[in-house]
Amino acid sequence: MAELLAPLTYAADSPLREAGLQDSQEDDLQDEFLGALAALGGSAGNVRLLGVLEWDVATYDAVKAELLSRGLIVPGRGRGGSVALAGGEGTTASVSANAERSARRPRTARGSSSSTASSFETAFRAIDDCLRKEAGCGTELDYTEQTSWLLFLKYLDGLEDDRAAMALLEGRTASPILEESYRWNSWAAPKDGHGQLAKDARIGDDLLKFVNNDLFPYLSGFKDRASGSNTIEYKIGEIFGEIRNKISNGYNLREIIEEIDGMRFRSQAEKHELSMLYEEKIKRMGNAGRNGGEYYTPRPLIRAIVQVVNPQIGETVYDPAVGSAGFLCEAFEFMRKGGSTGAELSTADLDTLQTRTFTGKEKKSLAYVIAIMNMILHGIEAPKIIRANTLSENLSDVQERDRFDVILANPPFGGSERKEVQQNFEIRSGETAFLFLQHFIRLLRAGGRAGVVIKNTFLSNTDNASVALRQKLLTDCNLYTVLDCPGGTFQGAGVKTVVLFFEKGASTRRVWFYQLDPGRNLGKTNPLNDRDLAEFVALQKTFADSPKSWSVGVDSIDPQSWDLSVRNPHGGEAVELRTPQEIMAEIATLDEESAEVLGRIRGLL
């Protein structure tokens, strides 16, 4: 048993390597082959097995040759070519857990990552088409929310399988998370002996009644029953206590379930493909309204910020305005790959990364659900995302154990908080971004580093709060870099932004500025990309001067206004030509803000 379940190693000239398969695919392909063979009774003809797996012939032959060379399968006795599990009944039993999974899940096409991505993309389009028929789902936000809770339950079923397999290996009894009747393969996608949807599967009103009256109440109750807030059980309770099923047609729901059931995201390669498409859904959701930056920060910008801040294994990483968890996901990917050095991580390092590194907080229920699902798809099994209004926490209560080594964030800008919330801060302001900036400074450990997005007007506003906050930032922290982003960086936001990089502990002596100029107008069809930021990342390492970068000594900054305006000494700021649509969007935004102010004035009269 141990031989079959243990990770396999390969010689450089193995059939799998000769076929050009990636390392991450090899174990998954062999597991799938053995599982399908076990599901067919332990032996099968090549044609039949190839049909069940739905692989191309080259992949099938390479995997079969590897398993034959390792003695895990043997040539069968049937005519026309067949294979059988080595060791007879004992071997069949040894892969029974894998066989069960293989038998009850539809096979997806194999042979290239592009085919997997294509199947995911097709499924997402079909799901969106179904959701458009629903009266309660009118926006991209609704599509993402409803897809997310179903994806989460599909993922949870796979996690249960993994836990059961691990318990088997360790010789102990598995403790299931969900009762059997609430597992995906019981209520959503029960299968018959041929791997097809069972005839007694719920459809129509029966399916809707079960989901609304039984499933959601059961799952929301996990919050009260969980042993702690960092457990997967607690996350289940939080998610299903915050959202509701908006799909009102049971037949529509059955179609969506069948699309999701066809998705297979057990291997790292599959999770990667699915996470990229899920990110694309988040991007579309963020761009659906004028407050696009609230849900989606461009990933190239996040990756550049992460590279500059350079979080290390053993450090804690925090995003108090987590949104869709883009910063935490990109930080995880950066650290998992060994950071700036690319060093290979030990098992202990990977455990630290999974369980003791990332924390996020989110006020809104939809973003909370999306953040958890996004982190799961990126490979973080039980994300520590806390549902809370970060700004309602009293900063005077913060202890050393509450602080973090790294803060990465794009806090909401343009919002406002109640007077009682503003009482928690030394510098009171109705601008949420200014309150968040104080939170960042307070929550950083001495020597801790931050990379945060904020409106560029923060650098020059003359109101008392802005001036006092700039003074605090320069006095309490070393503001070592300011990245000036061009208009259009955030789709639909209608404002220009800067990224502040600072370290807590020592006051600022010199600030290095970089004025990002991609040489084109940014927009939905021409977004920011990694190449646009490559020069910034390279020059920032040495704070080098260039036509786009320069340094300013703190002694040259006006001590009365603490003005940090971006003034490029190498030719000034380039004139940006905006599209008529962008200008009209900003006018509409300003009109709404003016109407709100006038409404408040009328209320006072």
Side-chain angles (χ1 to χ4, degrees):
M1 179 185 296
E3 181 187 0
L4 284 172
L5 292 176
L8 300 175
T9 56
Y10 309 96
D13 58 350
S14 73
L16 287 172
R17 293 289 170 83
E18 291 175 357
L21 297 174
Q22 301 296 316
D23 291 347
S24 60
Q25 293 178 299
E26 295 172 356
D27 286 347
D28 296 316
L29 289 170
Q30 295 195 53
D31 286 345
E32 193 166 356
F33 191 107
L34 293 171
L37 191 54
L40 293 171
S43 65
N46 288 318
V47 174
R48 185 182 181 194
L49 185 54
L50 181 61
V52 170
L53 291 167
E54 295 183 0
W55 293 351
D56 59 78
V57 175
T59 300
Y60 178 87
D61 287 344
V63 175
K64 184 180 77 170
E66 179 66 33
L67 293 173
L68 285 167
S69 70
R70 297 187 59 80
L72 298 179
I73 61 172
V74 295
R77 299 173 184 173
R79 295 180 179 179
S82 61
V83 289
L85 292 168
E89 295 180 1
T91 304
T92 302
S94 72
V95 293
S96 60
N98 194 18
E100 289 175 14
R101 293 199 297 272
S102 302
R104 67 192 189 195
R105 286 189 173 86
R107 298 286 164 188
T108 55
R110 282 289 201 160
S112 71
S113 60
S114 62
S115 65
T116 304
S118 176
S119 66
F120 285 145
E121 195 168 4
T122 301
F124 273 137
R125 282 200 298 266
I127 291 167
D128 286 352
D129 287 343
C130 287
L131 290 171
R132 288 189 186 97
K133 303 172 188 174
E134 292 289 335
C137 298
T139 67
E140 289 283 352
L141 277 70
D142 295 320
Y143 303 159
T144 306
E145 177 191 55
Q146 296 302 297
T147 304
S148 294
W149 73 258
L150 285 160
L151 270 177
F152 180 80
L153 291 180
K154 167 74 170 173
Y155 159 81
L156 195 59
D157 195 63
L159 180 62
E160 293 264 41
D161 286 338
D162 290 342
R163 287 188 169 190
M166 185 59 68
L168 180 66
L169 276 174
E170 296 174 354
R172 56 181 175 82
T173 304
S175 299
I177 300 169
L178 304 181
E179 294 176 18
E180 184 62 32
S181 59
Y182 294 101
R183 287 194 60 176
W184 179 267
N185 283 298
S186 294
W187 72 268
K191 300 293 193 299
D192 61 20
H194 302 288
Q196 302 300 312
L197 187 68
K199 292 182 179 180
D200 59 352
R202 293 183 177 91
I203 58 173
D205 289 342
D206 287 342
L207 179 59
L208 267 186
K209 287 177 183 176
F210 175 80
V211 168
N212 294 331
N213 300 337
D214 296 325
L215 181 65
F216 267 66
Y218 169 74
L219 296 174
S220 64
F222 270 78
K223 184 176 179 179
D224 297 327
R225 301 192 294 271
S227 59
S229 59
N230 293 333
T231 61
I232 189 68
E233 289 83 358
Y234 189 88
K235 302 304 176 192
I236 294 169
E238 280 269 276
I239 289 172
F240 290 92
E242 294 293 343
I243 64 174
R244 63 182 180 85
N245 171 40
K246 294 181 180 178
I247 305 168
S248 59
N249 185 302
Y251 296 97
N252 221 10
L253 178 57
R254 168 52 60 196
E255 281 189 53
I256 294 169
I257 286 172
E258 289 181 11
E259 291 291 346
I260 288 179
D261 189 56
M263 295 183 184
R264 189 175 184 275
F265 47 99
R266 303 300 304 284
S267 72
Q268 284 302 318
E270 289 164 338
K271 281 185 179 179
H272 177 74
E273 295 289 356
L274 184 54
S275 68
M276 293 301 99
L277 284 167
Y278 192 71
E279 287 270 3
E280 187 62 29
K281 283 187 72 67
I282 296 170
K283 181 179 180 180
R284 290 202 306 271
M285 181 186 73
N287 293 343
R290 66 181 180 88
N291 59 337
E294 181 177 351
Y295 290 102
Y296 187 80
T297 305
R299 293 324 185 232
L301 180 61
I302 292 179
R303 284 190 285 273
I305 293 171
V306 171
Q307 288 178 66
V308 170
V309 177
N310 193 22
Q312 304 292 305
I313 297 294
E315 292 185 322
T316 51
V317 181
Y318 174 51
D319 183 349
V322 78
S324 60
F327 278 97
L328 298 186
C329 289
E330 291 295 344
F332 172 76
E333 292 293 341
F334 175 80
M335 297 169 78
R336 183 178 63 83
K337 296 173 182 175
S340 58
T341 65
E344 187 173 348
L345 302 188
S346 66
T347 302
D349 290 338
L350 291 171
D351 181 65
T352 296
L353 200 58
Q354 275 282 347
T355 60
R356 295 185 295 279
T357 300
F358 302 103
T359 300
K361 290 180 183 174
E362 177 52 47
K363 177 180 178 180
K364 297 189 175 181
S365 59
L366 175 56
Y368 172 81
V369 174
I370 291 170
I372 289 177
M373 193 67 233
N374 202 19
M375 291 185 75
I376 284 172
L377 289 176
H378 277 82
I380 302 171
E381 199 170 279
K384 187 180 179 183
I385 304 297
I386 301 165
R387 175 79 197 288
N389 180 0
T390 301
L391 299 180
S392 66
E393 300 170 10
N394 195 328
L395 292 186
S396 62
D397 295 335
V398 173
Q399 304 295 316
E400 184 60 29
R401 65 175 180 272
D402 303 319
R403 292 190 167 97
F404 298 87
D405 299 301
V406 171
I407 292 179
L408 305 167
N410 172 20
F413 35 77
S416 59
E417 281 290 349
R418 303 182 308 275
K419 292 290 185 182
E420 59 267 28
V421 171
Q422 297 179 37
Q423 302 298 321
N424 295 326
F425 297 87
E426 175 188 348
I427 301 169
R428 295 172 188 173
S429 171
E431 168 62 62
T432 54
F434 291 1
L435 302 181
F436 267 108
L437 188 52
Q438 294 177 74
H439 180 87
F440 302 153
I441 295 171
R442 180 69 174 172
L443 269 289
L444 271 180
R445 288 197 176 101
R449 308 175 307 288
V452 301
V453 181
I454 199 167
K455 283 195 298 186
N456 72 337
T457 52
F458 164 73
L459 300 178
S460 58
N461 278 352
T462 57
D463 62 279
N464 292 337
S466 298
V467 173
L469 190 50
R470 287 196 297 270
Q471 180 182 8
K472 181 177 180 63
L473 178 62
L474 293 170
T475 303
D476 294 357
C477 302
N478 174 22
L479 177 65
Y480 57 88
T481 294
V482 174
L483 170 62
D484 181 43
C485 299
T489 298
F490 288 86
Q491 302 302 316
V495 296
K496 281 194 63 179
T497 56
V498 293
V499 184
L500 308 178
F501 297 89
F502 55 90
E503 181 177 347
K504 184 176 177 180
S507 54
T508 305
R509 293 186 177 182
R510 199 165 189 80
V511 185
W512 184 75
F513 289 84
Y514 182 91
Q515 192 169 55
L516 182 62
D517 178 13
R520 65 187 190 282
N521 290 330
L522 299 179
K524 288 184 179 180
T525 59
N526 200 9
L528 193 70
N529 61 52
D530 290 295
R531 294 187 302 277
D532 295 328
L533 289 147
E535 183 186 71
F536 160 70
V537 173
L539 294 178
Q540 195 279 334
K541 294 175 181 177
T542 58
F543 305 107
D545 280 355
S546 76
K548 298 179 185 177
S549 60
W550 65 97
S551 294
V552 174
V554 75
D555 53 359
S556 66
I557 296 173
D558 180 3
Q560 300 300 316
S561 67
W562 299 93
D563 192 307
L564 290 168
S565 297
V566 176
R567 299 185 182 92
N568 189 340
H570 306 300
E573 186 171 357
V575 176
E576 296 176 359
L577 301 177
R578 296 184 295 165
T579 65
Q581 291 83 357
E582 290 173 326
I583 295 171
M584 292 299 295
E586 183 170 355
I587 291 172
T589 299
L590 293 172
D591 286 346
E592 290 179 12
E593 293 174 352
S594 299
E596 183 180 350
V597 171
L598 288 172
R600 290 176 183 173
I601 294 172
R602 289 193 188 98
L604 296 173
L605 298 177

